[in-house]
Amino acid sequence: MKVFKFGGASVKDAPSVKNVAEVIKQFCDDELVVIVSAMGKTTNALEELVKLFFEKGDWQSQLQTIKNFHLEISNGLFEPNHQVFERLESIFEGIAKYLSFAEGKPYMEVYSEMVSQGELLSTRIIRNYLNQNIHKTIWVDARNYVRTDYNYIDARVEWDMTTRNISEKIPVFTKDAIVITQGFIGSNGEGKTTTLGREGSDFSAAIFATGLNAESVTVWKDVPGVMTADPSKMPDAVIIPQLSYTDASEMTYYGASIIHPRTIKPLAQNGIKLYVRPFNSPKELGTVIGAEGAGKHPASFILKTKQVFIDFKVTDFTFIDERKLSLIFNALDQLNIKINLMQNSAVSFSICIDKKFDKVEKLVERLSDTFNIEMRDNLEMLTVKGYDQKALDKIYDRKEVLLEQKSKDVYHLLYVPEKEHKELSESA
């Protein structure tokens, strides 16, 4: 049993879908579950749709734009009378009907229901193309298998029920067909759609692989494998051919976008190997992640944008003690906020977190009665894992550094981006 995952870049247009089919064709003799993301930048477009809906904007035009994009791809794959067009029409009618009656629904609920449509659309199109050209497939709705808690966004998986659902039902399908399903989405105990976090399709692949006790997961990407840096920003970046689960997990924690942060743990716990391979050169081996790494590898440069720095200062001339820290950590846990970097002094505790939805505002609101809170956003955090002086010499001078940390193996720098700093200076 193998699990494949194809991201949005791999299915961004009709030629890309044909390429995915050619990749899958090479593995038709295997029992195969294929996880597919939304096409291209569809998730961004659906987020804009939700934004327009809640701002009373022209969401109908945005929906038509999304529909036209999927019809354009389908026109490049199917004859005009193919049944897929009727199915797509039904999906878009369903979206419009849902929004017409969504007035008063919570933002998070509408968001999850809408952004999930990207995966539902892409898997319908790809399933039909594979049926027509490559191999028999079965389309399954991931929401019927991946059970989560009641967080609509960044939902946490209910593993016992999810594993049981997958292990009992999916193997029956894979004996006769390739299973096509969606990444990123699940459902809660009420049957309402939930999402696993942006780029969560990698995590979905790990969830299905765990339930199936799969041999491996392969994430097909538009890069040659896991690299030491983003090659568009650092042209001398090289492939890391082999990584341990531990090193890969640490890289994702610090923000390496090549793999979703929650992907590694279930695979490591079950000894399932993860391959990161290029969909444009499917014969290349890319990177393999498993129990053993390849020893020391070159320094890795990981950049996270849209960072927020929050400093909690005591108000009563006491210190940051265990009780005050517990207040902060309880609030972070309740809001499902992950700390990317933290530092404390006698009278303050500082954290760096991602800017997501309204979570930052909710955190500040909960703790403003206890602390004096200072906040800066639009920041960047650079992490260098396995650094040496040669690696640090590659980092250009930052004009305004808010936080710098060094440990034995990891270097962090939180700073105001050059563009942001220039705008602030000019306005001053």
Side-chain angles (χ1 to χ4, degrees), residues 20 37 56 90 142 156 171 175 209 256 288 321 330 333 370 380 406-407 417 424:
V20 164
S37 299
K56 311 297 183 186
S90 175
R156 294 171 179 170
K175 293 188 181 303
V288 58
D321 56 18
N330 282 335
D333 180 58
T370 309
E380 292 182 352
K406 282 185 181 180
S407 66
L424 287 171

Side-chain angles (χ1 to χ4, degrees), residues 7 19-20 23 124 158 189 216 247 290 298 312 358 383 393 427:
N19 181 66
V20 164
V23 172
R124 286 292 186 188
E158 301 288 352
S216 64
D247 282 341
F312 302 94
D358 58 350
T383 299
D393 288 342
S427 65

Side-chain angles (χ1 to χ4, degrees), residues 52-243:
L52 287 167
F53 172 76
F54 277 94
E55 293 178 351
K56 311 297 183 186
D58 187 7
W59 61 264
Q60 292 90 346
S61 293
Q62 178 68 5
L63 182 59
Q64 186 63 47
T65 298
I66 297 168
K67 180 179 179 179
N68 291 342
F69 171 70
H70 287 85
L71 289 176
E72 180 181 353
I73 292 175
S74 299
N75 285 328
L77 299 172
F78 306 103
E79 294 297 323
N81 61 346
H82 195 281
Q83 64 180 5
V84 72
F85 292 101
E86 183 178 341
R87 185 62 187 141
L88 293 180
E89 189 67 36
S90 175
I91 292 174
F92 281 102
E93 286 177 0
I95 295 172
K97 184 177 180 180
Y98 176 89
L99 289 175
S100 297
F101 291 96
E103 192 73 36
K105 288 182 181 289
Y107 173 86
M108 298 297 191
E109 180 178 341
V110 175
Y111 174 91
S112 292
E113 186 63 41
M114 288 298 95
V115 296
S116 69
Q117 300 301 317
E119 276 69 19
L120 297 170
L121 286 161
S122 66
T123 51
R124 286 292 186 188
I125 292 170
I126 290 162
R127 183 270 174 110
N128 276 277
Y129 185 77
L130 291 175
N131 271 355
Q132 177 178 278
N133 295 277
I134 304 297
H135 196 278
K136 178 185 175 184
T137 67
I138 291 178
W139 184 92
V140 301
D141 191 331
R143 295 172 297 183
N144 294 332
Y145 298 88
V146 180
R147 177 61 59 84
T148 74
D149 64 9
Y150 285 81
N151 287 308
Y152 285 106
I153 297 173
D154 286 336
R156 294 171 179 170
V157 175
E158 301 288 352
W159 280 100
D160 287 345
M161 184 170 291
T162 297
T163 301
R164 186 165 60 250
N165 288 341
I166 293 170
S167 63
E168 290 178 355
K169 300 172 184 176
I170 297 298
V172 177
F173 301 143
T174 58
K175 293 188 181 303
D176 299 313
I178 295 171
V179 171
I180 306 295
T181 192
Q182 307 79 33
F184 177 55
I185 65 176
S187 67
N188 61 29
E190 295 178 355
K192 292 183 178 179
T193 302
T194 58
T195 56
L196 305 178
R198 286 299 303 263
E199 312 301 329
S201 294
D202 295 346
F203 185 36
S204 296
I207 293 168
F208 275 89
T210 299
L212 295 166
N213 193 26
E215 171 192 332
S216 64
V217 171
T218 301
V219 176
W220 297 93
K221 306 285 287 189
D222 56 353
V223 291
V226 178
M227 305 191 71
T228 55
D230 183 343
S232 67
K233 295 182 172 65
M234 194 172 286
D236 60 349
V238 296
I239 299 171
I240 305 173
Q242 190 173 345
L243 275 172

